[in-house]
Amino acid sequence: MVTTGFVPGPTAAPSRSLWRPLNPPVPDWAGQRVWVVGASSGIGAELALALQRRGARVAISARRRPALEAIAAQCPPPPPDAEDPTRPMQVMPLDINDAPAVASCCDALVREWGGIDLVLWVAGIYQPMRAQNFELGVAQGMLQTNLVAVYSGLAAVLPLLLRQRAGGIALVSSVAGYSGLPQALVYGPTKAALINLAESLYLDLRASGIGVYLINPGYVDTPATAGNDYTMPALITAREAADATLSGIAAGRFEIHYPKRFTWWLKGARLLPYRLYFALVRRVTGA
Ligand SMILES: NC(=O)c1ccc[n+]([C@@H]2O[C@H](COP(=O)([O-])OP(=O)(O)OC[C@H]3O[C@@H](n4cnc5c(N)ncnc54)[C@H](OP(=O)(O)O)[C@@H]3O)[C@@H](O)[C@H]2O)c1
C-alpha cells in the first residue's frame, strides 16, 4: 500500500477578482491522484495516458478489463525522478450502473492513495435516435448510463472531496447538450442535464475549495462516433481532446470546450431566436 498524506492542491480561498480562474489551477500534474472513469477507449483512454505522461498517479475504470489492461500496458516508463518509479497505472474495472461497485472502488483508491485529487467522469454512451425510431429501452439505458450513474459517482466522491476541502471533479458532457439537434433525442438531453448539474455543483462546491470542471467536446474520432454515416465537422483526435481537456483544467477553467472553431459557432447559434435556430440547423444538417 502506498501511504502519502494528502497534500491539498492549490486551493486557496476563491479570489474576488472578476478575471480570476473559476477553478483552482493545476500548475503541475506530477503526483496528482486522478481517477479516470470511462478509460477503456476513446477520450478517457487518451486522458489516462496523457496524465501518466505528465507524472500523475492514475487509476482507470470501465467495464472491459482487457481493454483497460491494454491501456495500462501502453504507459511510458515513469520519469527517473518520479516519487515511485515502479508504480503501474491502476486498473479498476467497474460498471458505473452498479452504485455499490462505484463506492467500493472509490474507497479502495482512498485506502491506496490516501485521497483523490481529481475524478474525471468520462464514461458515457452515444446512440443516435430520432422521434421516428424511438425505442424506450434504448432511451432508458442511455439515461441510466449518461445521467443517473453520474449521481452514483457523486455519492461516492462528494463526501471525500468535502472532507478533503480540496480536489476536483470533471464531468464530460458534450456540445450536444447546448441545444436540440437531430439524432440527439435522448443523448442530447442527458448531456444538457450534465451541463446543468456541473453548474449547480460549481455553485455548491467552489467555496469549499473543490474544483468543478465541465468538458464539452465537439466531434472526436473515437469508437463512439465511428458509426456516424456523415462527415463530422471539425473532427479532432482523442489525443487532441485529451490535451485540450488537461490544458483547460490546468488553467482552472470551468467550461472546457473544443475545438473552438466548432464550439463557438454552436454557442452563437443557440443565442438565435428559435425561428432562425431551427432554420439554420435544418439547413446545415439536412434534417
Ligand atoms: N466522441 C465524441 O465526438 C464525443 C463528443 C462529445 C462528448 N463525448 C463524450 O465523451 C465521453 C467519452 O466518449 P468517447 O467518444 O471517448 O467514446 P468511447 O470510446 O465509446 O468511450 C466511452 C467510455 O465509457 C465507458 N463506459 C460506457 N458505459 C459504461 C458503464 N456502464 N460503466 C463503466 N464504463 C462505461 C466505456 O468503457 P466500457 O465499454 O469498457 O465500459 C468507454 O471507456 C462520453 O461521455 C461521450 O458522451 C464524446
Side-chain angles (χ1 to χ4, degrees), residues 71-91:
I71 301 301
Q74 288 180 44
C75 287
D81 57 346
E83 195 180 302
D84 175 5
T86 58
R87 69 179 188 264
M89 188 182 275
Q90 302 223 21
V91 169

Side-chain angles (χ1 to χ4, degrees), residues 234-279:
L235 183 70
I236 60 171
T237 64
R239 184 157 180 176
E240 287 171 316
D243 287 342
T245 301
L246 295 185
S247 301
I249 294 173
R253 297 203 183 94
F254 168 70
E255 189 198 6
I256 297 152
H257 58 98
Y258 49 77
K260 298 282 195 292
R261 63 187 184 280
F262 184 54
T263 54
W264 281 120
W265 187 91
L266 288 171
K267 280 174 178 288
R270 73 176 166 173
L271 299 176
L272 293 172
Y274 278 126
R275 182 177 299 280
L276 292 178
Y277 174 75
F278 291 143

Side-chain angles (χ1 to χ4, degrees), residues 5-91:
F6 177 68
V7 181
T11 53
S15 143
R16 293 195 180 280
S17 159
L18 194 59
W19 306 112
R20 74 191 190 277
L22 289 176
N23 275 307
V26 182
D28 186 1
W29 288 103
Q32 297 279 333
R33 300 159 297 181
V34 187
W35 182 22
V36 188
V37 182
S40 58
S41 60
I43 300 169
E46 289 297 337
L47 277 167
L49 291 167
L51 283 160
Q52 179 88 13
R53 283 193 295 273
R54 288 161 171 78
R57 296 172 155 206
V58 184
I60 53 175
S61 293
R63 290 166 300 182
R64 290 169 293 154
R65 178 188 281 277
L68 291 173
E69 281 170 352
I71 301 301
Q74 288 180 44
C75 287
D81 57 346
E83 195 180 302
D84 175 5
T86 58
R87 69 179 188 264
M89 188 182 275
Q90 302 223 21
V91 169

Side-chain angles (χ1 to χ4, degrees), residues 37-45 61-65 67-68 93-98 121-126 145-146 149 172-176 187 190-191 194 215-226 228 232 235-236 238 258:
V37 182
S40 58
S41 60
I43 300 169
S61 293
R63 290 166 300 182
R64 290 169 293 154
R65 178 188 281 277
L68 291 173
L94 60 77
D95 184 337
I96 57 171
N97 294 316
D98 178 351
W121 196 274
V122 191
I125 48 177
Y126 166 66
T145 297
N146 290 4
V172 175
S173 177
S174 167
V175 296
Y187 181 77
T190 64
K191 294 302 185 176
L194 286 192
I215 321 297
N216 284 327
Y219 284 110
V220 184
D221 188 8
T222 69
T225 50
N228 284 349
M232 291 176 268
L235 183 70
I236 60 171
Y258 49 77

Side-chain angles (χ1 to χ4, degrees), residues 133-226:
N133 62 355
F134 178 73
E135 285 180 58
L136 181 59
V138 177
Q140 285 171 327
M142 231 182 314
L143 286 162
Q144 171 66 41
T145 297
N146 290 4
L147 181 58
V148 177
V150 180
Y151 287 93
S152 304
L154 291 180
V157 303
L158 280 179
L160 167 75
L161 295 176
L162 287 165
R163 223 169 33 244
Q164 292 179 168
R165 292 189 69 80
I169 179 156
L171 300 181
V172 175
S173 177
S174 167
V175 296
Y178 285 168
S179 42
L181 291 168
Q183 301 281 11
L185 196 69
V186 183
Y187 181 77
T190 64
K191 294 302 185 176
L194 286 192
I195 293 173
N196 191 297
L197 171 59
E199 292 164 354
S200 300
L201 275 176
Y202 182 86
L203 291 167
D204 284 352
L205 296 179
R206 183 64 194 100
S208 304
I210 298 162
V212 178
Y213 308 85
L214 166 64
I215 321 297
N216 284 327
Y219 284 110
V220 184
D221 188 8
T222 69
T225 50

